[in-house]
Amino acid sequence: SYVLTQPPSVSVAPGQPATLTCEADNIGLESVHWYQRKPGQAPVLLLYDDTARPSGIPERFSGSNSGNTATLTISGVEAGDDADYFCQVWETDSDHPVFGGGTKLTVL
Amino acid sequence: EVKLVESGGGLVKPGGSLRLSCTTSGFTFHNAWMSWVRQAPGRGLEWVGRIKTGTVDYAAPVKGRFSISRDGSENTLYLQINNVKSEDTALYFCATSGLEYFDYWGPGTLVTVAS
């Protein structure tokens, strides 16, 4: 099955950009979706179809997807962005979703 | 406002059963596509299964032991877990399912399998 690889952790100082990656063979051919989960809270859909933001998601969150890497970029990280971030694609062969292992973003 | 709230988690012995509930509001539930997703301690998210308008499908690790159903009159989604195993220990989330992604999630209910 399709495997999505995310770095376990990323640390960034407040105000700096954060780049979170999601790697898989030819992921650029897939639509990638991103979620944010803070401890004790429900996950939140951050981006869908690589770059689209649901209503209410700040413009600081953006995405790209090409080749073997999809990227979630947070421009100007804030303390409230300290959370786990998961990427996800829909695997066509199985008609099932696949999630990455998640990246813990720590705001220093 | 869309709201999802899971309940029914707790401590269960291996081989036991339990039923999780997901109470919903703020959208038309009776024909909405809904999924269950779980997160084991220290692990990533894992899709469990989905109920569409007339069909249900499951992830391979839970097929035959898990059953998803809904009560449209109560706007509630259910997950029946039978013959629980230690690897079923996880936080279980319900979520609304779009074609390829999950729009709204609940905060989850914790299932712990231990003797």
Side-chain angles (χ1 to χ4, degrees):
Chain A
S1 68
Y2 207 58
V3 176
L4 304 179
T5 301
Q6 299 182 251
S9 62
V10 168
S11 299
V12 177
Q16 296 301 304
T19 301
L20 282 65
T21 58
C22 177
E23 296 183 347
D25 289 341
N26 296 314
I27 196 173
L29 301 177
E30 309 294 335
S31 292
V32 179
H33 322 292
W34 292 89
Y35 305 88
Q36 176 195 65
R37 180 166 176 258
K38 300 179 183 180
Q41 297 186 25
V44 172
L45 177 66
L46 277 182
L47 297 173
Y48 63 94
D49 294 344
D50 301 335
T51 61
R53 277 189 309 277
S55 174
I57 300 301
E59 292 183 6
R60 301 186 295 106
F61 294 90
S62 64
S64 63
N65 185 18
S66 178
N68 295 325
T69 304
T71 302
L72 167 66
T73 301
I74 310 173
S75 63
V77 163
E78 300 176 356
D81 298 332
D82 197 298
D84 293 327
Y85 293 83
F86 296 91
C87 59
Q88 177 248 316
V89 302
W90 199 274
E91 189 177 40
T92 313
D93 288 349
S94 65
D95 194 26
H96 290 171
V98 175
F99 290 93
T103 296
K104 165 64 179 168
L105 174 66
T106 299
V107 181
L108 301 171
Chain B
E1 178 193 6
V2 173
K3 193 170 183 182
L4 308 173
V5 179
E6 303 89 343
S7 61
L11 178 63
V12 58
K13 290 181 168 55
S17 299
L18 78 168
R19 188 178 77 162
L20 308 182
S21 300
C22 171
T23 304
T24 74
S25 61
F27 65 102
T28 303
F29 173 78
H30 74 274
N31 60 356
W33 293 9
M34 301 290 299
S35 281
W36 286 96
V37 178
R38 66 184 179 181
Q39 185 176 21
R43 305 284 298 273
L45 297 172
E46 178 188 26
W47 179 75
V48 169
R50 176 178 67 174
I51 185 167
K52 296 159 75 171
T53 306
T55 60
V56 185
D57 57 346
Y58 301 94
V62 307
K63 203 166 186 178
R65 294 191 302 117
F66 287 28
S67 177
I68 297 174
S69 62
R70 72 201 308 164
D71 183 336
S73 66
E74 296 289 334
N75 292 333
T76 301
L77 178 73
Y78 298 103
L79 178 66
Q80 177 71 37
I81 306 176
N82 296 325
N83 188 24
V84 295
K85 304 178 180 182
S86 58
E87 54 262 40
D88 296 326
T89 293
L91 188 59
Y92 285 74
F93 303 98
C94 63
T96 60
S97 286
L99 276 178
E100 290 195 356
Y101 53 87
F102 306 93
D103 309 83
Y104 299 97
W105 301 63
T109 187
L110 181 63
V111 172
T112 303
V113 181
S115 53

